[in-house]
Amino acid sequence: MASVNGNEGPLFSAVSSSARQLFQLLRCIGFAPKAQVQITKEGLRFTVEESRVMQGLAFLDKALFSTFNYTPAAAEDEDDEDIEPPTFLISLSSLLETLQIFGLNDSKDRWSNRGSSYGGVTGSLSRGGPAAAFDNRVLGMTGVCRLSYAGIGEPLCIILEETGITTTCELVTYEPEMQEDIPLQRNALAQKIIMRASWLYDAINELSSTSPTRLTMTASPTAPYFTLSSAGPLGSATVEFSKDPQLLETFQVPRRTVNTYKYSLIKGATRAMAIASKVSIRGDEQGVLSLQFMIETEAGGVSFVDFRFVPFVPEEGDEEEDGGEADVERGNVA
């Protein structure tokens, strides 16, 4: 068929032999109902955000697809090589429902039975642990997934094929919103810590017992090296991590930093924590936090899901309520 790019065929088309890995990666950022999609020659970039203080990014690399074709529209000016990649807004919740239309058996016991692993004694330590999230026995999803997009104003077409059954879904695309990435000053990082994602996952869940509203993250070149503290109506709790290389694979903290974030926002990244093998915890001097998860996919590949958080800034009422603890709420560097 003719498309708006002036060529035969759609602007973009791709085929994946596994709908489940697309579903698992996109579900990591499923905390918002809509996602902004950007098509590039390297893959698909899905971005979601909440109230300008939390942002999730999942990049579906073209290596996840058996075929990946993107034919950008020809530039009107031959000298203009910078063509803006097509960007549109879709319902992420509808996309997730479509990808699992043939069924999903996601066992909660898989994660709840791992035990407390952040102490370095137990847990899923082999490469086969997190990667098993893409196993047929866990998801119960098989089949081929075909994606296509004809151009501006056209729907995103999804065709799922399994055991002789073909389902076609067309998701309405919308005009993209003016959306800027939460800035992370990579050349001015106050901390960079790499650890097993399962240990962070267990620590966040451990702190949930106090029904916390805030999560304070403290990193220091001296003991205690890395601390997560929560505070809520039921009390407070703290989890401390030692500097053992088997626990913290990378620990780059030149000076002590203390930043506080809304616990509910950090909790929104736990789906990625649950299936990722590693997490890179980075924070800049302004207190912006980046949680970048490395997720093992089929055929030994890896994909990355990135979250960014703006630090909590207390209001006047919060300062009085905290009883003078507001000095540790945001970006206090000692």
Side-chain angles (χ1 to χ4, degrees):
M1 66 177 176
S3 68
V4 295
N5 60 352
N7 300 320
E8 291 297 325
L11 179 69
F12 158 76
S13 64
V15 179
S16 172
S17 59
S18 173
R20 62 181 177 272
Q21 64 181 355
L22 304 183
F23 173 83
Q24 281 291 76
L25 291 171
L26 292 177
R27 192 173 67 157
C28 290
I29 59 171
F31 59 85
K34 291 186 178 181
Q36 186 162 292
V37 184
Q38 187 177 67
I39 303 174
T40 70
K41 293 182 179 180
E42 301 303 321
L44 303 177
R45 188 179 192 267
F46 288 79
T47 308
V48 299
E49 70 171 25
E50 181 174 326
S51 305
R52 308 291 182 182
V53 295
M54 176 183 181
Q55 194 170 67
L57 166 64
F59 185 73
L60 303 185
D61 191 276
K62 63 181 181 181
L64 294 174
F65 301 89
S66 53
T67 62
F68 187 94
N69 298 309
Y70 167 52
T71 307
E76 297 180 1
D77 187 348
E78 296 182 357
D79 297 330
D80 185 10
E81 298 181 355
D82 297 329
I83 301 174
E84 188 71 21
T87 304
F88 53 87
L89 204 65
I90 63 168
S91 169
L92 179 58
S93 56
S94 297
L95 175 58
L96 291 175
E97 290 179 8
T98 300
L99 290 175
Q100 63 164 328
I101 201 168
F102 286 124
L104 174 69
N105 298 318
D106 191 6
S107 174
K108 294 182 180 180
D109 291 339
R110 163 167 167 67
W111 308 119
S112 60
N113 291 338
R114 292 186 309 172
S116 179
S117 59
Y118 56 82
V121 178
T122 63
S124 178
L125 300 180
S126 67
R127 287 177 58 87
F134 295 97
D135 193 289
N136 286 341
R137 293 169 296 179
V138 175
L139 292 177
M141 297 171 64
T142 59
V144 175
C145 176
R146 303 177 186 274
L147 304 176
S148 64
Y149 176 68
I152 298 175
E154 297 295 325
L156 177 66
C157 182
I158 305 167
I159 300 177
L160 297 171
E161 301 175 2
E162 180 184 14
T163 60
I165 301 175
T166 300
T167 302
T168 301
C169 301
E170 292 186 347
L171 298 183
V172 176
T173 59
Y174 305 92
E175 287 285 335
E177 300 176 352
M178 295 297 295
Q179 189 178 77
E180 296 183 358
D181 291 345
I182 295 177
L184 177 70
Q185 300 177 346
R186 292 184 175 86
N187 59 346
L189 292 180
Q191 67 180 42
K192 180 179 180 180
I193 301 170
I194 298 178
M195 63 188 297
R196 291 189 182 276
S198 60
W199 292 335
L200 179 62
Y201 174 83
D202 290 333
I204 296 298
N205 283 337
E206 186 77 15
L207 296 175
S208 66
S209 60
T210 62
S211 298
T213 56
R214 303 173 191 171
L215 176 72
T216 298
M217 185 175 295
T218 305
S220 173
T222 59
Y225 298 98
F226 184 50
T227 303
L228 299 177
S229 304
S230 65
L234 299 182
S236 60
T238 300
V239 175
E240 295 182 356
F241 293 85
S242 68
K243 197 180 176 182
D244 189 331
Q246 294 184 350
L247 185 61
L248 302 180
E249 180 179 313
T250 298
F251 187 81
Q252 299 175 4
V253 181
R255 55 191 179 277
R256 186 172 183 269
T257 61
V258 181
N259 288 286
T260 297
Y261 308 89
K262 288 189 175 181
Y263 179 85
S264 60
L265 299 181
I266 303 296
K267 186 74 173 178
T270 51
R271 280 177 174 168
M273 296 180 199
I275 66 172
S277 56
K278 295 182 180 181
V279 58
S280 174
I281 306 171
R282 297 176 295 174
D284 64 17
E285 294 179 352
Q286 300 300 317
V288 174
L289 173 66
S290 167
L291 298 179
Q292 186 179 64
F293 297 94
M294 185 178 77
I295 301 174
E296 298 174 6
T297 58
E298 298 174 353
V302 296
S303 291
F304 294 91
V305 177
D306 188 23
F307 293 86
R308 292 185 184 179
F309 306 87
V310 173
F312 176 77
V313 179
E315 298 178 355
E316 292 183 3
D318 295 323
E319 293 180 4
E320 295 176 0
E321 182 180 332
D322 292 342
E325 295 183 1
D327 60 321
V328 299
E329 292 292 351
R330 180 181 185 274
N332 182 27
V333 180

